[in-house]
Amino acid sequence: MKKQNSRKSYAIFGLGEFGRSVAEELMAAGADVMAIDKDEDLVNDIAPQVTMAVQIDATELHAFDSLGLSNMDGVIVTITSCLEASIMAIMAAKEAGVPFILAKSHNSTMSTILRRIGADKIVTPERDGGIREARNIVNGNFIDFFELSKRVRMVEISVKDEWIGHNLKELSLRQKHKVNVAALRRDGELTTDIDPDMSFCEGDSILVLVDKQYIGELLP
């Protein structure tokens, strides 16, 4: 899968609950996603929701040759049921020069092994953790992320450079980005009493409520 314009591209190995939730959230955030699994049914099921879905056996040496991992901004490996497959996927990503590799683990021993062979970050959570990690993966602009319902998210986001020196009235965030600003964090203090005429400063962050389909509006 080649990159499309400036959109970020990710490959996800393993389409269990965690992997699927990461894939869905990355797509919602405007990224290109290649979803990969050995199970053909899981691949077919997610295919309409991602950029590309591929069925391979990650334990086979040449299974990675046609994936184009060198085009990826990140690889997420979630195959906790097969250590060999996780190791092979991480090694393939490292050899392809992928700049960021996240791997899911189910115990400390597996975490140690995956970290030693090249995983940049190890996580152990299930679906909720997958959603949060997707937000952290796709853009450092997101400080924290909460799933309030199937559709509504609360996101804490760093104020964009182009917003500094402007106030809420000028920015019209609700109209332009479909978000509702719930709170402002400045100098470590959080307040919900936001003066719409107060200009944003460098270092500010805001908590916003946003429908899942509009999360991409918050990306740079």
Side-chain angles (χ1 to χ4, degrees):
M1 181 174 69
K2 293 185 177 181
K3 290 185 183 180
Q4 300 177 11
N5 302 319
S6 60
R7 290 163 59 125
K8 292 186 177 182
S9 298
Y10 299 92
I12 299 175
F13 289 89
L15 299 176
E17 189 172 10
F18 181 91
R20 188 183 181 97
S21 68
V22 172
E24 291 173 350
E25 291 297 320
L26 290 175
M27 287 295 296
D32 287 318
V33 174
M34 178 189 292
I36 305 160
D37 200 282
K38 181 179 180 180
D39 189 320
E40 187 175 2
D41 290 336
L42 292 178
V43 171
N44 290 336
D45 186 52
I46 202 173
Q49 302 176 51
V50 296
T51 310
M52 182 181 297
V54 182
Q55 188 266 324
I56 68 164
D57 183 347
T59 62
E60 296 180 358
L61 185 60
H62 299 293
F64 306 93
D65 293 348
S66 61
L67 297 181
L69 295 182
S70 60
N71 295 312
M72 300 297 166
D73 293 290
V75 165
I76 300 94
V77 180
T78 75
I79 318 171
T80 54
S81 61
C82 180
L83 180 58
E84 181 185 359
S86 291
I87 291 172
M88 294 286 284
I90 292 171
M91 291 177 63
K94 291 295 287 186
E95 290 175 4
V98 177
F100 178 76
I101 302 170
L102 181 145
K104 184 189 173 191
S105 169
H106 61 70
N107 61 44
S108 59
T109 300
M110 185 175 185
S111 297
T112 299
I113 294 171
L114 299 184
R115 188 175 290 109
R116 286 183 178 177
I117 63 171
D120 297 296
K121 185 173 183 179
I122 306 293
V123 294
T124 56
E126 291 300 326
R127 185 175 184 276
D128 290 345
I131 292 172
R132 181 168 297 191
E133 289 304 325
R135 299 272 47 80
N136 293 332
I137 292 165
V138 75
N139 195 276
N141 208 39
F142 288 85
I143 297 172
D144 212 342
F145 180 91
F146 305 92
E147 183 181 20
L148 301 182
S149 70
K150 288 184 177 180
R151 295 189 62 86
V152 180
R153 310 291 192 253
M154 176 175 280
V155 181
E156 182 171 1
I157 181 174
S158 298
V159 169
K160 297 183 180 183
D161 290 341
E162 60 265 32
W163 294 354
I164 295 174
H166 298 280
N167 60 45
L168 287 175
K169 284 184 178 179
E170 295 170 329
L171 294 171
S172 300
L173 297 182
R174 179 180 295 183
Q175 290 74 26
K176 293 181 179 178
H177 299 290
K178 311 296 183 185
V179 302
N180 293 294
V181 179
L184 168 72
R185 191 185 303 277
R186 176 174 290 175
D187 298 327
E189 295 296 325
L190 190 68
T191 179
T192 58
D193 185 17
I194 308 172
D195 183 348
D197 293 311
M198 180 182 63
S199 297
F200 286 124
C201 300
E202 185 175 357
D204 286 351
S205 64
I206 53 176
L207 271 72
V208 302
L209 297 175
V210 57
D211 190 287
K212 176 180 177 179
Q213 65 179 313
Y214 298 121
I215 280 185
E217 299 285 336
L218 299 176
L219 298 178

